[in-house]
Amino acid sequence: MSTSDRIRDRIPTLIATLCIASTVAAAPLATPGERSVDIAASLDDHLVVVGADDPGSPSLPSLADRLEYHAYYPDTLQVYRGDVVRFRYEGEHSVTFYPGGERQDTLLVPDELPTQIRLDGLFPSRDDCNLGASREHLPPCVLSSPDQYLNAGASPPNLDYTARVQVDLPPGSYAYFCIFHPAMRGEVEVVADEEEIPTPAEVEAERRAQVQADTAAAEAVLAAYQQPPREIVGNRSRWQVQVGGSTPDGRVAILGYLPANLTIEPGDEVEFVLPPMPGGAEGHSVSFLPDDLRPFTPLHYYEFRCDVDGRDAGAPGAPGALAFLAIGNDCPEGELEMLWAPQSYAAPLRSQGNVVAGPRPVHDSGVLLTPREVCDDSCDPWTGQPLPDRFEATFPREGTFGYWCFLHDRRGMAGNITVSG
């Protein structure tokens, strides 16, 4: 295995490890509420699946494995006070309870350095209870106040990730959200002891039916796609490639380029455009990079360093032993920050004139985000300006030019532009 291959393989492992780390001070478990339960016996009483396993589609094999479900299954779960809910992750999402049940956009937070933003909310908010991988031996985290912040953190790719939450709250509905996908919302409804609630089998049947319905809606979107728009400008063509997509309700995102393979003529221009995403933003990139640079792309977009603020500033951290993997030296325990570097959206890695003529120079869009009506986590946190939702490239010579989305590379989001005269 080459050095670049080893580095590339290490990056998702590092990010996965960071996502399951937490340095928030331990808080005491609350006393169970009105309904006494045996916690050990109730670990699997209630199940919410965060996202969904994609069942695939024989009729649409090229994109069937690239559907991302932006929903909790079920959306609303009824429980009794003191019951334990197990959240099983099937996608790169989060389960986050905010004070007052109102979502707070905390993903992109300006750092103390004007050239960086902090990816907040990636880490579990507690390390003394069962939030995340390798913590199944710990007791459930107790949600004991509607004004409590409880974050299970982000789910790393290809890693079994679960969280168990004991709901010690009076009857009522309590919302939780996904930090990454603003429209992704679920509810735990606590009912009185004398009320009947659906059985686990009934909840599972409902879950399966909803996944099937959402999958069918995504397949309908893919089946309806026809030819890429083409406009004649002077003596050349201007094509348009759709970057991702979603169902009309936003419950399923399509992690693919439409079309994934496009044949054009020398001198043609291609515009890559993110379509509207109902309810929120989904980030992608269009990255024309030589193979030897692909392993280093995440290091270009993300930065890891010792926190210059110190833990009192409330910045997320990770055990100092991880710092050696990230930045080549040791940090005090809990002092490692994960940062989103500004080039991820300023995108200095662009060729002059937006020309793609070979493996070099690099031509990269940086992070593209669908605009939202409210400029929050779809905007530059420093300037408040919307991040771009489109990207252009011109192809002057014959050849096949591959590109990919660095955010969803391991989900197979890639495409090819073939230039033929």
Side-chain angles (χ1 to χ4, degrees), residues 150-329:
L150 183 63
N151 178 27
S155 57
N158 305 319
L159 184 68
D160 291 336
Y161 199 88
T162 61
R164 289 184 170 91
V165 177
Q166 184 185 15
V167 184
D168 182 21
L169 292 168
S173 294
Y174 303 95
Y176 53 91
F177 307 84
C178 174
I179 284 176
F180 305 102
H181 307 109
M184 190 168 167
R185 181 182 188 276
E187 281 188 345
V188 174
E189 182 183 350
V190 181
V191 303
D193 289 355
E194 61 272 13
E195 294 187 32
E196 290 188 6
I197 63 175
T199 66
E202 291 171 333
V203 173
E204 176 63 13
E206 176 190 348
R207 185 189 75 82
R208 289 180 178 273
Q210 187 62 65
V211 171
Q212 290 176 356
D214 289 345
T215 303
E219 291 177 348
V221 171
L222 292 170
Y225 180 80
Q226 299 297 321
Q227 297 296 322
R230 179 186 182 187
E231 177 185 4
I232 304 298
V233 180
N235 61 349
R236 66 180 186 181
S237 296
R238 179 182 175 89
W239 301 82
Q240 189 177 98
V241 171
Q242 179 176 313
V243 181
S246 76
T247 54
D249 57 9
R251 291 177 64 91
V252 184
I254 298 166
L255 304 184
Y257 301 99
L258 300 176
N261 298 287
L262 177 65
T263 300
I264 63 175
E265 295 182 353
D268 284 359
E269 184 180 58
V270 179
E271 183 182 35
F272 300 86
V273 180
L274 271 70
M277 283 283 290
E282 175 69 28
H284 295 295
S285 82
V286 178
S287 303
F288 290 90
L289 299 175
D291 289 341
D292 61 333
L293 288 183
R294 288 182 65 168
F296 298 94
T297 302
L299 296 181
H300 168 70
Y301 285 98
Y302 297 106
E303 295 181 3
F304 302 90
R305 63 170 174 78
C306 295
D307 176 19
V308 300
D309 285 336
R311 296 178 64 181
D312 293 340
L322 299 177
F324 178 80
L325 294 175
I327 57 177
N329 60 66

Side-chain angles (χ1 to χ4, degrees), residues 94-118:
S94 82
V95 174
T96 309
F97 290 87
Y98 289 104
E102 294 296 328
R103 186 183 188 278
Q104 303 166 24
D105 293 299
T106 58
L107 178 60
L108 305 184
V109 179
D111 195 60
E112 71 280 350
L113 298 179
T115 60
Q116 297 163 317
I117 52 179
R118 194 170 72 241

